[in-house]
Amino acid sequence: MTNQEIYELMSRFDASGLQRLKLSQGDVQIEMEKAAPVTATAAVPAPAAPAAGPETAEEAPAIAAPLVGTFYAAPAPEQPPFVMPGDRVKKGQTVCLLEAMKTMIEVPAPCDCVIGEVLKANGELAAFGEALMRYKPC
């Protein structure tokens, strides 16, 4: 396994719901385990209301990459993109694909929203947690 493959495996494991992973491939053995989730008992204060005025592009919420992978805006090269700026999408609707380790992962819209800006170019590498698109909730 290459270092890049190991890093991608670590990112996918971290983004998954798995608590433990054991992998053996040839003479390489990898074991990963997440710490047990901590249950919070204290109340979390509500976030302060945003200041009045138009929201700038940097303040708009973003759809983040759930793992390290190659960004694809369309299901195939000859097909139109899943979404364009200004498109209204429903919660769970696929907005793009990320390819990691020859596996295509659909990235869904987090809520009913309007796509404001696509931040990645087709075929560009996306890091874990990196903003792919900005949106405005409906």
Side-chain angles (χ1 to χ4, degrees):
M1 269 185 132
T2 67
N3 284 344
Q4 182 64 31
E5 290 172 327
I6 293 170
Y7 291 137
E8 289 177 348
L9 179 63
M10 289 169 50
S11 292
R12 293 193 62 192
F13 174 73
D14 189 44
S16 76
L18 296 174
Q19 291 300 311
R20 186 170 189 177
L21 174 70
K22 191 178 216 180
L23 173 72
S24 296
Q25 188 176 36
D27 53 344
V28 175
Q29 292 184 359
I30 298 174
E31 288 186 48
M32 291 183 257
E33 187 170 344
K34 293 180 186 174
V38 178
T39 306
T41 57
V44 178
E55 201 172 78
T56 64
E58 290 77 32
E59 295 172 345
I63 298 171
L67 51 91
V68 175
T70 305
F71 173 85
Y72 292 108
E78 66 281 350
Q79 293 185 339
F82 287 105
V83 295
M84 299 286 291
D87 286 355
R88 182 183 284 288
V89 296
K90 296 282 185 191
K91 180 179 181 175
Q93 180 178 335
T94 301
V95 295
C96 65
L97 297 174
L98 284 177
E99 178 185 13
M101 298 175 63
K102 302 191 192 271
T103 302
M104 293 298 204
I105 309 299
E106 293 181 349
V107 178
C111 60
D112 290 355
C113 59
V114 175
I115 301 299
E117 181 180 12
V118 177
L119 303 171
K120 286 295 199 184
N122 205 41
E124 190 175 358
L125 185 62
F128 173 75
E130 185 175 7
L132 302 173
M133 299 178 187
R134 298 235 178 254
Y135 66 91
K136 182 177 179 186
C138 296

